[in-house]
Amino acid sequence: MSSRVCKTCGGSDIDVDQARGSAVCTGCGSVLEDNIIVSEVQFVEGSGGVSSAVGQFVSADGPVKAPLLGSGFHTSVGKESRAQTLQGGKRQIQQLGSQLQLNQHCLDTAFNFFKMVVSKHLTRGRKTEHVIAACLYLVCRTEGTPHMLLDLSDLLQVNVYILGKTFLLLARELCINAPAIDPCLYIPRFAHLMEFGMKTHEVSMTALRLVQRMKRDWMHTGRRPSGLCGAALLVAARMHKFRRTVKDVISVVKVCQTTLRKRLTEFEDTPTSQLTIDEFMKVDLEQECDPPSFTAGQHKVKMQQLEHELARKLDEVEGEISCYKDEIETELEKSRPKLRGIYAAYAKEIDPDDVEVSSQASEPEVPEVEDADLQAAAQHLTQNFLCEVIQEEEGRGKKPDDGKQEAGSDTMEAGSDNMGAGPYRQAAPLAVILGKLPIAAGLSLQQTFQTFTESDQGEKPDDEQSESGELDLKDIDDQEIDKYILNDREVEVKTELWMKQNAEYLKEQKEKEERIKKEKEQGTYKEKPKKSKKKKEQIQALTAGEAIERMLEKKKISSKINYDVLRDLNSRGTGGVEGSSPSRETSDPPDTASTTRRRLNRRRRRKTSDANRELATTTSIMGKRVRLLLSSTSKKKKTDVQAENTVTMTTETSSEVTTKLEPDRSSAPSVPTTVVEEEEEEEEVEEECVSALQLVGDYGCEEEDVF
Amino acid sequence: MDSSNDEALDIIITNVVATFRTRCHLNLRTIALEGTNVIYKPEGGKVLMKLRKPRITASIWSSGKIICTGATSEDDAKRGARRLARILQKLGFKVRFSAFKVVNVLAVCSMPFAIQLIDFTKKNRPIASYEPELHPAATYRIKHIKATVQVFSTGSITVTGPNVQNVATAVEEIYPLLFEVQRPRCK
């Protein structure tokens, strides 16, 4: 209220009384205003003496139901759309969330996220399903529930990476930092699914310890947490004497066999795997391991380096090696029976050949073969220290190394026994070679990097020199370019081949063109010719029927409806259709106009009898919808419908249809169309049954027999 | 290349993507029938042509827009693009080489140490994101130079950016962050 000046006396001291609703000048006493609009809460006495406040509660984002005056029309439309979006979103959240068994608090949080997303216009261009799933997953992550993105994608039948993309985007835009996934969260959930009975808790505890151990051994970075959980649970189950196969575990955990086996192998490589069950439960090893991929990478690099060095050295000392070869052969012949298992096979093949093999082109097997050779040679020349060094470095690698160590230790003893004075001198240079190798292997990676950078830099100046400033032709060799273009003969051959290969596609294109030509002549050429044909049929039908037809057509386009299944379901009729939402998605499209007309005629008759039955069944969507319709049309034609048998219903059905359509159209747009469509689907389902009934010419009991 | 550290970090450029226009309509069928090393893709409406000398693959559309991928340096990409234009010229189209632009550069680099991804993500919260369910690497997006770095736990990183200079800057920027969260080598 602006303090105004009194007109009579000019005084600015004005007293405003809210209760009376008047403004009075205190100077001269003249009343300036009467009946001021008051913004106070008023109370009314209701029945029984209860006093309640006057007015309506209008929420900021709720649906605006209060009818506005004509001037406010635009704003109401805009708000209604937003409100509808939010409502629809809320519904979907509730649906999806209940399938995931999330509590109400989580669902509310998810709805809040959704509201934020909508206000930031991030739903544009994205399927609402995806956005909702992402909101729900955000909630799961912030609350720490054991739900995986995979679960959501299972429910929605959407690729998990697509959902992941949406989720990442939303998290970034809403600045929500979801805490990292801890595999420990999933253990109780998976353990429960694997049915350990009374011992579920113990097995979970063991599995938890295993997972924590895996974390310390750096097996969990970059890996899906479910894979680790699967491996841990499998081991824990075995530890507690439950027979769970890999297949059981993978069906629960949703990873593939290969992954599980790989995790198990990696875990086997850690020193923890060597402990017994009791030891494991009590002791926690201090040392930690490198992550398996890192180790594998290092191993590879080291092998390559060893190879390089060996290749170089071997070229230099080839002569000496032939002597060693003989030496080695004799020694190995003596010690052969001591090598175990696979290594026996290895040893036989290795000795004469691998010296030459090692200097050849690198293969992944060659480094391992070389190692065996190195070890054999080193052992025979009793350079224990060197052997140990080499073994240590390779012992970090994969499984076969463990085997090698065992074989190595055996042959070492043999070698030391067979040591003679002669080989010592010759051994010395080899020992020198071997002595250098560990150092080479121990070279920091930077050296390799440096060689790479040098080679790179060497190439670059050449490239720059050949770069020319001109737009075309300077360094482009025309002759070479000509090679890229086929000559005439080749073109013919290729044309033939290409035509043959793409014959189908070319045929399709031709047919399409012809079709377009025809339609152009007919004057009915449209962008999508198929649909136009259908619309011609509608024109032939009755006016009301045409409207329904159009809606039927629209429904037909939906890809979520499996019409074939619906036809099969017809024998079961509405029982199957009512049951659940998937079954509801079946509908029989009209094949020709005539059948649709007949269908329309029978519609009314069918409807009420079916409706009666449906009213009896509970919680059926169809039932509710039909009930809705029924309530709106019951007053009008119910009595008439029941009596009739013949096709003379046509006029009545058409009038009923129109009357039915009108009240539907008057209310909010979306609901009745779906209702009508539901009804249509339902009636189409009863098609076959209707015809049978018509033959019999009776209602009620006959229908129930059929169903 | 990386002067701010003691050891030289090796940044290897593995892919350069560039686009250019020929400013004339191209008949894909002619190209498909008369060129060697071409694949016609009717569903995509394009022709793939593979060159040998700068090893690149080009997607050619009938509107005259061409995308070259597979080059190992920006200059290579330009040369390859020019070669391609020359080939099309010889096939009879009135080609003009215009609007050449390098769109994307992909490089890999390997750190001499392993990285703790979870700590890395925690420290660089909104900029870095790590979803082990989706991808084994943590993604770090540097907005001001428009580069994306994917960090793997083994210490290798892949950097994508609009040009080679940005990529180098990105590596320099991220190195100290990675150094902080490196995993001490055991044994």
Side-chain angles (χ1 to χ4, degrees):
Chain A
M1 291 279 288
S2 55
S3 53
R4 301 184 319 273
V5 184
C6 172
K7 284 172 209 159
T8 30
C9 69
S12 58
D13 196 8
I14 297 171
D15 175 38
V16 180
D17 192 350
Q18 293 286 352
R20 290 212 191 120
S22 57
V24 180
C25 169
T26 43
C28 63
S30 56
V31 177
L32 295 164
E33 240 183 303
D34 224 348
N35 301 321
I36 297 173
I37 295 170
V38 178
S39 61
E40 285 191 348
V41 185
Q42 277 195 315
F43 289 91
V44 201
E45 191 167 329
S47 57
V50 179
S51 59
S52 53
V54 173
Q56 277 183 330
F57 182 74
V58 182
S59 78
D61 47 20
V64 178
K65 280 185 186 152
L68 291 174
L69 306 170
S71 56
F73 194 67
H74 294 293
T75 51
S76 83
V77 167
K79 203 168 186 199
E80 201 172 338
S81 154
R82 170 65 62 91
Q84 269 198 337
T85 318
L86 290 175
Q87 244 190 352
K90 184 153 198 178
R91 204 173 4 108
Q92 282 195 335
I93 289 176
Q94 295 284 354
Q95 203 181 13
L96 212 50
S98 62
Q99 281 177 309
L100 288 171
Q101 284 130 25
L102 287 171
N103 58 26
Q104 194 54 38
H105 166 70
C106 293
L107 295 179
D108 291 337
T109 322
F111 185 57
N112 282 334
F113 286 153
F114 184 68
K115 273 197 269 186
M116 283 199 274
V117 166
V118 169
S119 66
K120 288 199 173 188
H121 307 295
L122 295 170
T123 48
R124 299 227 182 116
R126 287 192 183 84
K127 289 203 173 172
T128 323
E129 269 185 354
H130 297 347
V131 175
I132 297 226
C135 289
L136 278 169
Y137 188 60
L138 264 175
V139 170
C140 289
R141 282 291 284 275
T142 48
E143 300 285 323
T145 63
H147 287 104
M148 298 191 286
L149 201 56
L150 267 173
D151 301 329
L152 277 168
S153 79
D154 263 347
L155 284 173
L156 291 175
Q157 298 292 309
V158 171
N159 187 353
V160 69
Y161 294 108
I162 297 177
L163 282 185
K165 213 173 168 190
T166 319
F167 162 70
L168 282 174
L169 188 99
L170 289 190
R172 217 178 336 139
E173 293 298 321
L174 298 176
C175 302
I176 294 168
N177 297 323
I181 302 175
D182 197 356
C184 302
L185 281 176
Y186 295 135
I187 297 274
R189 176 187 157 184
F190 290 140
H192 195 68
L193 283 171
M194 282 179 68
E195 296 166 14
F196 289 121
M198 298 302 293
K199 280 189 142 191
T200 307
H201 184 70
E202 288 171 32
V203 178
S204 309
M205 285 292 119
T206 319
L208 265 171
R209 264 188 82 92
L210 279 165
V211 169
Q212 280 163 4
R213 184 65 230 167
M214 285 182 189
K215 277 206 244 180
R216 302 243 327 254
D217 287 333
W218 297 104
M219 271 175 63
H220 79 298
T221 330
R223 269 80 188 277
R224 283 223 180 133
S226 43
L228 284 173
C229 293
L233 271 171
L234 186 61
V235 175
R238 295 275 169 83
M239 278 164 80
H240 286 268
K241 300 188 180 82
F242 281 100
R243 285 222 189 121
R244 294 283 181 267
T245 62
V246 174
K247 275 191 189 166
D248 296 333
V249 176
I250 60 177
S251 63
V252 164
V253 163
K254 296 177 197 165
V255 290
C256 76
Q257 255 194 22
T258 326
T259 315
L260 202 59
R261 282 187 207 283
K262 203 167 173 210
R263 298 287 168 268
L264 289 171
T265 320
E266 286 166 6
F267 188 60
E268 225 170 321
D269 288 336
T270 66
T272 315
S273 63
Q274 307 298 326
L275 300 173
T276 68
I277 296 177
D278 293 326
E279 278 178 12
F280 173 71
M281 299 306 284
K282 291 173 196 156
V283 175
D284 218 3
L285 287 178
E286 278 302 313
Q287 60 184 177
E288 298 178 350
C289 295
D290 280 331
S293 41
F294 186 67
T295 331
Q298 302 283 51
H299 190 72
K300 234 193 266 179
V301 170
K302 253 171 241 154
M303 285 306 151
Q304 278 180 353
Q305 282 178 336
L306 273 175
E307 219 179 294
H308 276 301
E309 293 297 329
L310 263 179
R312 256 189 283 156
K313 304 293 180 189
L314 283 170
D315 287 337
E316 295 167 8
V317 294
E318 221 160 6
E320 294 179 35
I321 284 177
S322 54
C323 300
Y324 298 142
K325 213 177 30 166
D326 301 328
E327 200 77 38
I328 289 165
E329 277 186 277
T330 47
E331 297 294 357
L332 275 176
E333 270 180 327
K334 292 177 197 172
S335 60
R336 197 165 285 163
K338 295 223 179 174
L339 285 174
R340 291 189 203 162
I342 307 169
Y343 265 78
Y346 253 158
K348 284 179 198 162
E349 291 173 315
I350 282 171
D351 290 322
D353 299 325
D354 78 18
V355 173
E356 286 98 9
V357 166
S358 59
S359 52
Q360 281 169 12
S362 60
E363 288 168 7
E365 296 108 31
V366 174
E368 288 187 35
V369 168
E370 284 177 340
D371 291 346
D373 176 40
L374 277 175
Q375 284 193 346
Q379 284 134 30
H380 286 297
L381 304 171
T382 44
Q383 296 292 332
N384 293 0
F385 167 68
L386 288 170
C387 289
E388 281 172 20
V389 170
I390 295 171
Q391 280 167 16
E392 257 186 30
E393 286 176 341
E394 288 149 12
R396 260 190 254 157
K398 311 165 202 170
K399 250 190 189 170
D401 286 344
D402 294 336
K404 272 184 217 160
Q405 285 179 22
E406 290 174 33
S409 56
D410 280 337
T411 46
M412 232 165 64
E413 294 153 28
S416 56
D417 293 336
N418 298 328
M419 214 42 241
Y424 262 122
R425 251 187 313 111
Q426 291 159 341
L430 189 58
V432 166
I433 296 168
L434 291 173
K436 282 188 191 164
L437 284 171
I439 300 169
L443 272 177
S444 65
L445 294 168
Q446 286 123 26
Q447 288 219 1
T448 38
F449 289 143
Q450 281 174 1
T451 51
F452 287 145
T453 44
E454 282 164 10
S455 56
D456 259 352
Q457 284 163 5
E459 286 169 3
K460 282 213 168 157
D462 293 336
D463 290 348
E464 288 177 28
Q465 285 167 10
S466 58
E467 163 76 75
S468 65
E470 265 192 302
L471 188 58
D472 225 6
L473 295 180
K474 185 167 181 194
D475 62 333
I476 294 173
D477 188 6
D478 267 2
Q479 280 184 355
E480 200 189 324
I481 298 265
D482 281 339
K483 284 187 205 161
Y484 278 106
I485 302 175
L486 303 169
N487 60 30
D488 290 333
R489 174 85 184 88
E490 285 171 350
V491 171
E492 282 175 26
V493 175
K494 189 162 184 187
T495 317
E496 252 189 71
L497 277 173
W498 194 87
M499 288 296 173
K500 269 192 209 166
Q501 212 179 19
N502 295 314
E504 279 180 31
Y505 175 72
L506 290 171
K507 232 196 286 175
E508 271 178 42
Q509 295 294 79
K510 271 191 198 157
E511 282 173 9
K512 196 177 174 184
E513 278 176 31
E514 281 172 20
R515 209 176 348 126
I516 292 176
K517 260 192 220 167
K518 268 192 203 167
E519 281 169 0
K520 273 193 176 151
E521 287 165 24
Q522 287 180 11
T524 56
Y525 175 61
K526 286 181 186 175
E527 283 303 311
K528 290 171 186 174
K530 281 182 189 173
K531 289 182 190 175
S532 65
K533 279 184 197 167
K534 294 288 177 180
K535 286 199 174 170
K536 280 184 204 166
E537 285 180 5
Q538 277 186 5
I539 296 165
Q540 292 169 11
L542 307 163
T543 51
E546 179 192 332
I548 294 169
E549 277 267 55
R550 220 171 272 145
M551 276 184 243
L552 283 173
E553 292 316 314
K554 274 187 202 162
K555 253 311 192 178
K556 189 183 171 185
I557 287 161
S558 167
S559 58
K560 293 175 186 165
I561 297 177
N562 188 346
Y563 298 102
D564 297 334
V565 177
L566 178 63
R567 279 188 215 115
D568 292 338
L569 279 179
N570 273 339
S571 54
R572 291 201 210 124
T574 47
V577 176
E578 287 167 357
S580 57
S581 42
S583 60
R584 161 189 148 208
E585 293 171 343
T586 53
S587 113
D588 211 3
D591 293 87
T592 60
S594 51
T595 54
T596 51
R597 284 181 67 175
R598 249 180 279 134
R599 210 170 294 144
L600 292 169
N601 298 335
R602 291 175 205 142
R603 186 186 300 268
R604 285 298 130 238
R605 237 184 308 140
R606 275 305 104 227
K607 193 183 71 116
T608 34
S609 41
D610 292 329
N612 290 335
R613 210 182 328 102
E614 282 158 18
L615 284 168
T617 60
T618 53
T619 68
S620 86
I621 305 165
M622 299 296 273
K624 282 179 194 160
R625 295 268 168 90
V626 175
R627 220 179 297 150
L628 264 174
L629 265 178
L630 196 63
S631 56
S632 62
T633 59
S634 57
K635 303 163 200 168
K636 289 160 193 173
K637 294 286 178 182
K638 191 169 181 183
T639 47
D640 293 338
V641 171
Q642 281 191 339
E644 300 194 16
N645 268 344
T646 59
V647 191
T648 52
M649 273 212 34
T650 319
T651 48
E652 280 164 345
T653 52
S654 58
S655 57
E656 251 200 47
V657 164
T658 47
T659 48
K660 180 201 71 184
L661 283 173
E662 279 159 12
D664 288 339
R665 279 186 195 141
S666 63
S667 46
S670 58
V671 176
T673 47
T674 51
V675 174
V676 169
E677 284 155 1
E678 294 303 326
E679 200 221 358
E680 286 160 8
E681 284 168 20
E682 174 209 4
E683 262 131 21
E684 282 145 18
V685 172
E686 298 139 36
E687 203 43 42
E688 270 66 17
C689 313
V690 172
S691 53
L693 266 150
Q694 210 201 352
L695 292 172
V696 175
D698 198 1
Y699 288 90
C701 38
E702 248 67 43
E703 277 179 36
E704 271 137 41
D705 286 343
V706 173
F707 290 114
Chain B
M1 288 184 94
D2 198 353
S3 52
S4 61
N5 312 301
D6 298 327
E7 331 96 18
L9 261 186
D10 198 27
I11 307 177
I12 307 168
I13 300 178
T14 52
N15 190 20
V16 175
V17 179
T19 61
F20 71 96
R21 294 207 169 149
T22 58
R23 292 253 174 253
C24 78
H25 193 267
L26 301 171
N27 186 345
L28 294 185
R29 200 178 279 198
T30 322
I31 302 176
L33 294 178
E34 292 183 20
T36 50
N37 307 328
V38 286
I39 308 169
Y40 186 59
K41 295 245 175 193
E43 67 270 5
K46 61 185 183 222
V47 166
L48 295 179
M49 185 182 265
K50 304 200 185 208
L51 261 59
R52 276 197 209 102
K53 185 97 175 294
R55 196 164 275 280
I56 60 173
T57 307
S59 304
I60 306 170
W61 273 270
S62 57
S63 59
K65 219 167 176 187
I66 300 180
I67 300 186
C68 288
T69 61
T72 47
S73 72
E74 288 184 357
D75 302 327
D76 243 4
K78 186 146 198 189
R79 258 184 304 129
R82 281 202 270 114
R83 279 183 161 218
L84 200 55
R86 181 82 189 112
I87 295 172
L88 293 174
Q89 224 175 38
K90 286 211 157 181
L91 280 174
F93 301 107
K94 293 206 169 59
V95 164
R96 284 189 298 156
F97 188 80
S98 78
F100 175 82
K101 183 169 184 239
V102 168
V103 172
N104 191 26
V105 173
L106 171 75
V108 292
C109 183
S110 196
M111 305 284 149
F113 45 78
I115 300 172
Q116 302 174 359
L117 282 186
I118 300 190
D119 292 346
F120 176 73
T121 324
K122 277 191 196 155
K123 280 191 182 175
N124 305 292
R125 242 318 151 64
I127 318 174
S129 87
Y130 171 50
E131 281 298 312
E133 279 193 48
L134 295 174
H135 193 57
T139 324
Y140 185 90
R141 284 177 211 270
I142 308 176
K143 260 197 167 170
H144 61 99
I145 43 175
K146 285 191 276 187
T148 308
V149 181
Q150 291 193 341
V151 182
F152 291 84
S153 63
T154 55
S156 349
I157 59 173
T158 77
V159 192
T160 49
N163 54 53
V164 179
Q165 192 52 47
N166 279 23
V167 163
T169 323
V171 175
E172 289 198 18
E173 211 181 282
I174 206 167
Y175 184 84
L177 298 172
L178 296 177
F179 195 81
E180 279 176 11
V181 286
Q182 72 176 283
R183 181 183 302 135
R185 285 275 301 280
C186 31
K187 284 185 190 167

